[in-house]
Amino acid sequence: NAGVTQTPKFQVLKTGQSMTLQCAQDMNHEYMSWYRQDPGMGLRLIHYSVGAGITDQGEVPNGYNVSRSTTEDFPLRLLSAAPSQTSVYFCASSPGGRTGKPQHFGDGTRLSIL
Amino acid sequence: QQQVKQSPQSLIVQKGGISIINCAYENTAFDYFPWYQQFPGKGPALLIAIRPDVSEKKEGRFTISFNKSAKQFSLHIMDSQPGDSATYFCAARGGGGKLIFGQGTELSVKP
Protein backbone atom coordinates (compact mmCIF):
# COMPACT_ATOMS: atom_id res chain seq x y z
CA ASN A 1 0.00 0.00 0.00
CA ALA A 2 1.89 3.06 -1.28
CA GLY A 3 -0.52 5.75 0.03
CA VAL A 4 -0.04 9.08 -1.73
CA THR A 5 2.75 9.17 -4.32
CA GLN A 6 4.10 12.42 -5.74
CA THR A 7 6.47 12.79 -8.67
CA PRO A 8 8.92 14.28 -9.28
CA LYS A 9 10.53 14.86 -5.87
CA PHE A 10 12.63 17.77 -7.14
CA GLN A 11 12.34 20.03 -10.18
CA VAL A 12 14.02 23.18 -11.43
CA LEU A 13 12.25 25.24 -14.06
CA LYS A 14 12.91 28.42 -15.94
CA THR A 15 10.44 31.28 -15.81
CA GLY A 16 7.71 30.76 -18.37
CA GLN A 17 8.04 27.00 -18.62
CA SER A 18 5.10 24.75 -17.91
CA MET A 19 5.03 21.45 -16.09
CA THR A 20 2.75 18.96 -14.39
CA LEU A 21 3.19 17.69 -10.85
CA GLN A 22 1.83 14.19 -10.52
CA CYS A 23 -0.15 12.81 -7.59
CA ALA A 24 -1.59 9.33 -7.26
CA GLN A 25 -3.29 7.55 -4.37
CA ASP A 26 -4.19 3.89 -4.01
CA MET A 27 -6.62 4.15 -1.09
CA ASN A 28 -9.75 4.81 -3.18
CA HIS A 29 -10.15 8.18 -1.47
CA GLU A 30 -12.75 10.57 -2.84
CA TYR A 31 -11.13 13.78 -1.64
CA MET A 32 -7.80 15.00 -3.00
CA SER A 33 -6.09 18.34 -2.63
CA TRP A 34 -2.96 20.29 -3.44
CA TYR A 35 -1.13 22.55 -1.01
CA ARG A 36 1.94 24.70 -1.23
CA GLN A 37 4.20 25.17 1.76
CA ASP A 38 6.21 28.34 2.19
CA PRO A 39 8.27 29.41 5.23
CA GLY A 40 6.16 31.13 7.87
CA MET A 41 2.93 30.62 5.94
CA GLY A 42 1.98 27.05 6.74
CA LEU A 43 0.25 25.04 4.03
CA ARG A 44 -2.08 26.89 1.70
CA LEU A 45 -4.73 25.12 -0.33
CA ILE A 46 -4.36 25.54 -4.09
CA HIS A 47 -7.10 23.32 -5.56
CA TYR A 48 -9.13 20.40 -4.34
CA SER A 49 -11.45 17.72 -5.65
CA VAL A 50 -14.32 15.92 -3.91
CA GLY A 51 -14.50 13.21 -6.55
CA ALA A 52 -13.69 12.30 -10.14
CA GLY A 53 -14.77 15.06 -12.50
CA ILE A 54 -15.20 17.64 -9.72
CA THR A 55 -12.62 20.27 -8.82
CA ASP A 56 -12.71 23.60 -7.03
CA GLN A 57 -10.38 26.42 -6.09
CA GLY A 58 -8.67 26.84 -2.75
CA GLU A 59 -6.96 29.86 -1.23
CA VAL A 60 -4.23 30.40 -3.84
CA PRO A 61 -5.39 28.98 -7.21
CA ASN A 62 -3.93 31.55 -9.61
CA GLY A 63 -1.36 30.15 -12.01
CA TYR A 64 -2.39 26.54 -11.44
CA ASN A 65 -4.80 24.14 -13.14
CA VAL A 66 -6.08 20.75 -12.04
CA SER A 67 -8.24 17.98 -13.41
CA ARG A 68 -9.61 14.78 -11.89
CA SER A 69 -10.40 12.21 -14.57
CA THR A 70 -9.95 9.21 -12.26
CA THR A 71 -10.31 8.61 -8.53
CA GLU A 72 -6.62 7.77 -8.26
CA ASP A 73 -4.92 10.70 -10.00
CA PHE A 74 -4.96 14.45 -9.39
CA PRO A 75 -2.27 16.27 -11.41
CA LEU A 76 -1.36 19.91 -10.82
CA ARG A 77 -0.34 21.98 -13.82
CA LEU A 78 1.75 25.12 -13.75
CA LEU A 79 0.79 27.03 -16.86
CA SER A 80 3.67 29.52 -17.04
CA ALA A 81 6.07 29.17 -14.14
CA ALA A 82 6.98 32.27 -12.14
CA PRO A 83 9.62 32.69 -9.39
CA SER A 84 6.77 33.26 -6.89
CA GLN A 85 5.76 29.64 -7.45
CA THR A 86 9.01 28.38 -5.97
CA SER A 87 7.74 26.25 -3.12
CA VAL A 88 7.22 22.77 -1.77
CA TYR A 89 4.02 21.24 -3.09
CA PHE A 90 2.07 18.59 -1.21
CA CYS A 91 -0.76 16.43 -2.42
CA ALA A 92 -3.19 14.91 0.08
CA SER A 93 -6.13 12.54 0.02
CA SER A 94 -8.86 11.49 2.43
CA PRO A 95 -12.08 9.45 2.33
CA GLY A 96 -13.99 12.69 2.02
CA GLY A 97 -17.08 14.09 3.64
CA ARG A 98 -17.28 14.88 7.31
CA THR A 99 -15.93 11.51 8.35
CA GLY A 100 -13.22 12.89 10.56
CA LYS A 101 -10.73 10.74 8.72
CA PRO A 102 -7.34 12.42 8.37
CA GLN A 103 -5.81 13.64 5.19
CA HIS A 104 -2.86 11.54 4.05
CA PHE A 105 -0.03 13.58 2.58
CA GLY A 106 2.61 12.66 0.04
CA ASP A 107 6.25 13.55 0.66
CA GLY A 108 6.15 16.61 -1.56
CA THR A 109 7.66 18.04 -4.72
CA ARG A 110 10.35 20.66 -4.22
CA LEU A 111 10.07 23.13 -7.08
CA SER A 112 12.46 25.96 -7.91
CA ILE A 113 11.70 28.54 -10.59
CA LEU A 114 14.69 30.46 -11.88
CA GLN B 1 -6.66 36.58 5.45
CA GLN B 2 -5.26 34.10 7.93
CA GLN B 3 -8.18 32.21 9.40
CA VAL B 4 -6.02 30.11 11.73
CA LYS B 5 -3.24 31.85 13.65
CA GLN B 6 -0.54 29.75 15.29
CA SER B 7 2.11 30.69 17.84
CA PRO B 8 4.93 30.59 18.60
CA GLN B 9 6.78 30.35 15.32
CA SER B 10 9.61 28.46 17.01
CA LEU B 11 10.04 26.78 20.36
CA ILE B 12 13.01 25.36 22.23
CA VAL B 13 12.30 22.99 25.12
CA GLN B 14 14.55 20.90 27.32
CA LYS B 15 14.15 17.14 27.31
CA GLY B 16 11.44 16.17 29.76
CA GLY B 17 9.76 19.56 29.60
CA ILE B 18 6.31 20.54 28.34
CA SER B 19 5.89 21.96 24.86
CA ILE B 20 2.85 24.17 24.31
CA ILE B 21 1.68 25.43 20.92
CA ASN B 22 -1.36 27.66 20.56
CA CYS B 23 -3.83 28.29 17.76
CA ALA B 24 -6.74 30.66 17.34
CA TYR B 25 -9.42 30.56 14.69
CA GLU B 26 -12.08 32.90 13.41
CA ASN B 27 -14.69 30.82 11.61
CA THR B 28 -17.22 29.28 13.98
CA ALA B 29 -18.29 26.86 11.23
CA PHE B 30 -15.05 24.88 11.54
CA ASP B 31 -15.95 21.40 12.75
CA TYR B 32 -12.71 19.47 13.14
CA PHE B 33 -9.33 20.55 14.48
CA PRO B 34 -6.33 18.32 13.69
CA TRP B 35 -2.69 18.74 14.54
CA TYR B 36 -0.04 17.56 12.10
CA GLN B 37 3.61 16.71 12.70
CA GLN B 38 6.15 17.15 9.93
CA PHE B 39 9.74 15.94 9.81
CA PRO B 40 12.25 17.40 7.33
CA GLY B 41 11.77 16.07 3.82
CA LYS B 42 8.43 14.46 4.65
CA GLY B 43 4.80 15.35 4.32
CA PRO B 44 2.69 16.28 7.36
CA ALA B 45 1.25 13.36 9.31
CA LEU B 46 -1.81 13.47 11.55
CA LEU B 47 -0.83 13.54 15.21
CA ILE B 48 -4.08 14.08 17.10
CA ALA B 49 -7.44 15.74 16.40
CA ILE B 50 -10.45 17.06 18.27
CA ARG B 51 -14.04 18.06 17.55
CA PRO B 52 -15.46 21.30 19.01
CA ASP B 53 -17.89 19.52 21.33
CA VAL B 54 -14.96 18.15 23.38
CA SER B 55 -12.77 20.30 25.64
CA GLU B 56 -9.78 17.99 25.86
CA LYS B 57 -8.35 14.95 24.13
CA LYS B 58 -5.30 13.01 25.25
CA GLU B 59 -3.29 10.43 23.34
CA GLY B 60 -0.17 9.31 25.14
CA ARG B 61 2.05 12.34 25.74
CA PHE B 62 0.00 14.55 23.41
CA THR B 63 -3.04 16.54 24.59
CA ILE B 64 -5.30 18.97 22.79
CA SER B 65 -7.11 21.56 24.89
CA PHE B 66 -10.05 23.23 23.17
CA ASN B 67 -11.82 26.44 24.24
CA LYS B 68 -14.83 26.94 22.00
CA SER B 69 -15.93 30.26 23.48
CA ALA B 70 -12.47 31.78 23.03
CA LYS B 71 -12.02 30.08 19.63
CA GLN B 72 -8.65 28.77 20.71
CA PHE B 73 -7.01 25.38 20.92
CA SER B 74 -3.59 24.22 21.95
CA LEU B 75 -1.27 21.23 21.75
CA HIS B 76 0.60 20.12 24.85
CA ILE B 77 3.48 17.67 24.54
CA MET B 78 4.35 16.24 27.93
CA ASP B 79 7.82 14.83 28.72
CA SER B 80 9.15 16.23 25.44
CA GLN B 81 11.82 14.10 23.75
CA PRO B 82 14.47 14.93 21.14
CA GLY B 83 12.53 12.70 18.72
CA ASP B 84 9.62 15.15 19.01
CA SER B 85 11.73 17.80 17.26
CA ALA B 86 9.69 18.63 14.17
CA THR B 87 7.39 21.25 12.71
CA TYR B 88 3.84 21.19 14.07
CA PHE B 89 0.80 22.55 12.28
CA CYS B 90 -2.65 23.13 13.65
CA ALA B 91 -5.53 23.10 11.20
CA ALA B 92 -9.27 23.62 11.04
CA ARG B 93 -11.75 22.00 8.68
CA GLY B 94 -14.34 24.09 6.94
CA GLY B 95 -16.85 23.68 4.15
CA GLY B 96 -16.21 21.00 1.54
CA GLY B 97 -13.75 19.31 3.86
CA LYS B 98 -11.12 21.95 3.22
CA LEU B 99 -8.36 22.22 5.81
CA ILE B 100 -7.02 25.64 6.74
CA PHE B 101 -3.57 25.43 8.32
CA GLY B 102 -1.77 27.59 10.83
CA GLN B 103 1.65 28.98 10.03
CA GLY B 104 3.55 26.18 11.78
CA THR B 105 5.78 25.90 14.85
CA GLU B 106 9.32 24.58 14.64
CA LEU B 107 9.94 22.63 17.86
CA SER B 108 13.44 21.77 19.01
CA VAL B 109 13.85 19.55 22.06
CA LYS B 110 17.34 19.80 23.54
CA PRO B 111 18.86 16.73 25.26
Side-chain angles (χ1 to χ4, degrees):
Chain A
N1 193 341
V4 178
T5 302
Q6 291 185 238
T7 56
K9 294 188 184 304
F10 302 93
Q11 185 71 49
V12 178
L13 292 178
K14 294 181 179 179
T15 297
Q17 288 185 314
S18 62
M19 80 160 293
T20 299
L21 308 185
Q22 301 291 344
C23 175
Q25 53 94 6
D26 61 0
M27 298 171 282
N28 201 32
H29 284 169
E30 294 180 15
Y31 187 93
M32 296 187 73
S33 52
W34 276 102
Y35 295 85
R36 59 177 290 173
Q37 182 176 11
D38 302 291
M41 303 193 74
L43 289 94
R44 291 180 293 168
L45 183 64
I46 304 171
H47 285 285
Y48 67 102
S49 169
V50 298
I54 306 170
T55 64
D56 205 348
Q57 296 180 352
E59 302 171 74
V60 288
N62 293 340
Y64 307 95
N65 270 357
V66 292
S67 60
R68 184 95 179 270
S69 57
T70 67
T71 299
E72 295 78 18
D73 299 300
F74 190 44
L76 177 72
R77 298 181 186 85
L78 277 69
L79 308 174
S80 177
S84 61
Q85 293 178 305
T86 293
S87 187
V88 182
Y89 291 85
F90 289 99
C91 178
S93 75
S94 72
R98 296 189 177 275
T99 63
K101 298 294 185 182
Q103 292 204 23
H104 297 259
F105 284 82
D107 283 338
T109 293
R110 284 143 187 84
L111 182 62
S112 292
I113 314 297
L114 305 179
Chain B
Q1 179 185 3
Q2 187 68 39
Q3 296 190 54
V4 179
K5 296 182 179 180
Q6 183 173 345
S7 63
Q9 188 173 357
S10 63
L11 181 62
I12 299 174
V13 174
Q14 290 296 123
K15 178 183 176 181
I18 302 173
S19 304
I20 302 174
I21 304 171
N22 301 300
C23 285
Y25 64 96
E26 300 170 1
N27 189 343
T28 55
F30 290 146
D31 68 348
Y32 175 70
F33 299 86
W35 284 88
Y36 284 83
Q37 180 187 54
Q38 184 182 30
F39 293 105
K42 296 294 185 181
L46 181 71
L47 185 64
I48 187 173
I50 197 168
R51 295 188 182 276
D53 54 349
V54 176
S55 61
E56 184 175 282
K57 183 173 182 179
K58 183 176 181 179
E59 292 184 358
R61 296 184 294 108
F62 301 92
T63 300
I64 299 178
S65 296
F66 190 87
N67 186 328
K68 188 174 182 178
S69 61
K71 294 188 285 186
Q72 296 176 346
F73 59 111
S74 60
L75 175 69
H76 295 235
I77 306 175
M78 311 300 287
D79 187 26
S80 298
Q81 299 297 312
D84 296 331
S85 297
T87 300
Y88 293 81
F89 293 97
C90 63
R93 186 176 68 185
K98 293 183 291 185
L99 281 182
I100 306 298
F101 284 82
Q103 297 91 329
T105 296
E106 193 171 334
L107 173 65
S108 178
V109 181
K110 299 299 185 184

